Each structure stands twice: as structure tokens, then as C-alpha cells.
Amino acid sequence: MLLLPAISTFFIALSGTLVAIGWVLIVKGHPQRHRQVMLAAAISALLFFIIYLTRTILVGNTSFGGPENVEQYYTIYMIFHIILATTGAIFGIVTLRLALKRKIAKHRKIGPITSVIWFFSAVTGVIVYFLLYIIYEPGETTNVFRAIFGF
């Protein structure tokens, strides 16, 4: 079931790329194109989240399968990534909402912060994919129901 992680990683990488493009567009004075690209970035991030959540619930999470001496660093990295991703999602929702409600002054204040968090969350997410599925053999995958209820 390695296809779903690859697809979800594609969408988060696309989202991060679109965020970077959107930033360049607004800096160059193209607000309409910026809006279109950032909405596409948000849709891409939402598709990532839907695939990730569905996979996590139905198939499960894959544990780190690399060497034990690397696992502690991976765990620290994952904590950083989770905090970044959660913060990025919250900031992203707030920033998009401000833009859609045309509260541009507030949007301009937090937009750059959101973009940086969002971009680095995407980058660290792609690195997680590489660590879990490319660089090392995947570890055990356990779905939520099995982990909680034992079946």
C-alpha cells in the first residue's frame, strides 16, 4: 500500500511549490494570479490531508524502519514536523479566511509567516516520506482500530 503515501506526498509537495509561486506572484504585483495559485495550493493541501487521514484511519501509520541509532533523531524530527504542520494548517485556514473575507491588511501581516510555515511543513513532509519509504525499508503499519482496540 505504498501508492497512497506517494500520492499524498505528491499533493503536499505540489502545495509547497504553489505557495512559493504564489509568494513570487504577489511580490511581483499579480494579486489575481496570486489568489488563483494560493487557492490551488490550499486545495492541494486539502487533498493531501484527506488522503493522509483516510490512509491513517483505514490502513494505518507506518513506523520508522531504519536503524535504531537513527530512530531517536527521526522521532525528534517528526515532532518538529507535526508541530510545523499543525501550526501551518491553523495559520493557513486563518490566512485564507482573511483573504476570502477581503481583510487584506490582516492577510498581508500574517500571509508571509503562514507561507514560510506552510512551505517548510511541505518540505519536511516530503523528507518524512523519503525517510519512511525510500531511504529505509518501511516499518510496521498499524491501523488506528488495531492500535486502540487490538483488532
Side-chain angles (χ1 to χ4, degrees):
M1 207 49 149
L2 296 179
L3 183 61
L4 288 178
I7 293 170
S8 65
T9 301
F10 165 79
F11 280 115
I12 203 61
L14 177 61
S15 178
T17 302
L18 291 171
V19 166
I21 292 168
W23 190 326
V24 170
L25 287 171
I26 200 64
V27 167
K28 290 190 174 195
H30 302 288
Q32 188 58 33
R33 288 172 58 202
H34 166 79
R35 178 185 168 103
Q36 292 168 341
V37 169
M38 293 309 266
L39 285 173
I43 291 167
S44 180
L46 182 60
L47 288 171
F48 157 79
F49 183 70
I50 290 168
I51 294 166
Y52 174 80
L53 188 63
T54 301
R55 181 184 178 277
T56 299
I57 291 170
L58 299 178
V59 179
N61 282 323
T62 302
S63 63
F64 181 69
E68 285 184 34
N69 64 333
V70 176
E71 189 170 11
Q72 67 184 4
Y73 300 109
Y74 171 80
T75 302
I76 293 167
Y77 182 84
M78 274 304 296
I79 291 168
F80 172 73
H81 169 69
I82 290 167
I83 291 168
L84 200 59
T86 303
T87 305
I90 294 166
F91 268 69
I93 291 166
V94 170
T95 304
L96 282 168
R97 191 160 188 243
L98 288 171
L100 294 172
K101 288 187 165 221
R102 307 300 297 156
K103 296 183 178 184
I104 302 303
K106 289 182 181 179
H107 175 79
R108 282 184 182 151
K109 284 183 180 179
I110 70 165
I113 297 165
T114 303
S115 292
V116 169
I117 295 169
W118 191 343
F119 179 78
F120 282 106
S121 173
V123 170
T124 59
V126 171
I127 292 169
V128 166
Y129 171 79
F130 274 88
L131 289 169
L132 281 179
Y133 300 102
I134 305 297
I135 297 171
Y136 302 109
E137 288 291 319
E140 182 181 328
T141 299
T142 305
N143 77 33
V144 172
F145 300 110
R146 192 175 314 123
I148 295 173
F149 302 112
F151 57 84

